[in-house]
Amino acid sequence: MIVPRRVALRSLFALAVTAFTGGALGRVASRPESGGTRDPHAFDEMYRGRRILGFSGPGGEPTALVDGRPLHLMRCADGGYVTPIDHYESCPTPLAATRAAVDELGTARLSPLAGAHGVPTDPKGGSPRGVHA
């Protein structure tokens, strides 16, 4: 039995369309829901000429970088965040606290020690300023 060329081409086209549609629907169905696995502390933007980046660090604590330098974020009792740069205003999110620090910094660069608030940065465990308590 000989199959006409038109029938063969139509069958191949239908098979290709079915395979493509099934593959596309399979990818959509297996994709996680939007927002389900997104890092709640994640941000990456240019703000007032500075690149600010935020993500969840070890233990899920928010971590922020300003122009690649770490900025310490502290959690307040009211649920907000403060930084060593702007210690008096509680901000609702890590992004807002990082922006407030950039506002306070103006054109000054962030100190390399701003991310080490309360954390020894000397490999020997001492204070970077030579203070020992």
Side-chain angles (χ1 to χ4, degrees), residues 55-124:
F55 51 92
S56 289
E61 292 297 316
T63 301
L65 301 174
V66 177
D67 294 332
R69 293 186 174 200
L71 173 68
H72 183 65
L73 294 169
M74 295 167 277
R75 188 74 182 212
C76 297
D78 66 359
Y81 296 87
V82 295
T83 67
I85 309 301
D86 186 11
H87 227 269
Y88 302 105
E89 178 185 353
S90 177
C91 299
T93 65
L95 174 60
T98 305
R99 286 179 176 168
V102 168
D103 291 342
E104 286 295 316
L105 281 170
T107 59
R109 291 186 67 192
L110 184 63
S111 167
L113 302 176
H117 184 75
V119 178
T121 56
D122 183 15
K124 297 174 186 167

Side-chain angles (χ1 to χ4, degrees), residues 10-84:
R10 191 177 299 155
S11 298
L12 284 174
F13 177 74
L15 182 63
V17 168
T18 304
F20 177 76
T21 305
L25 290 176
R27 283 191 301 274
V28 169
S30 66
R31 186 181 339 159
E33 292 184 29
S34 66
T37 59
R38 187 171 189 278
D39 183 355
H41 302 128
F43 54 89
D44 184 2
E45 68 180 42
M46 289 299 289
Y47 180 72
R48 296 195 174 203
R50 296 181 183 251
R51 181 166 185 235
I52 59 174
L53 176 68
F55 51 92
S56 289
E61 292 297 316
T63 301
L65 301 174
V66 177
D67 294 332
R69 293 186 174 200
L71 173 68
H72 183 65
L73 294 169
M74 295 167 277
R75 188 74 182 212
C76 297
D78 66 359
Y81 296 87
V82 295
T83 67

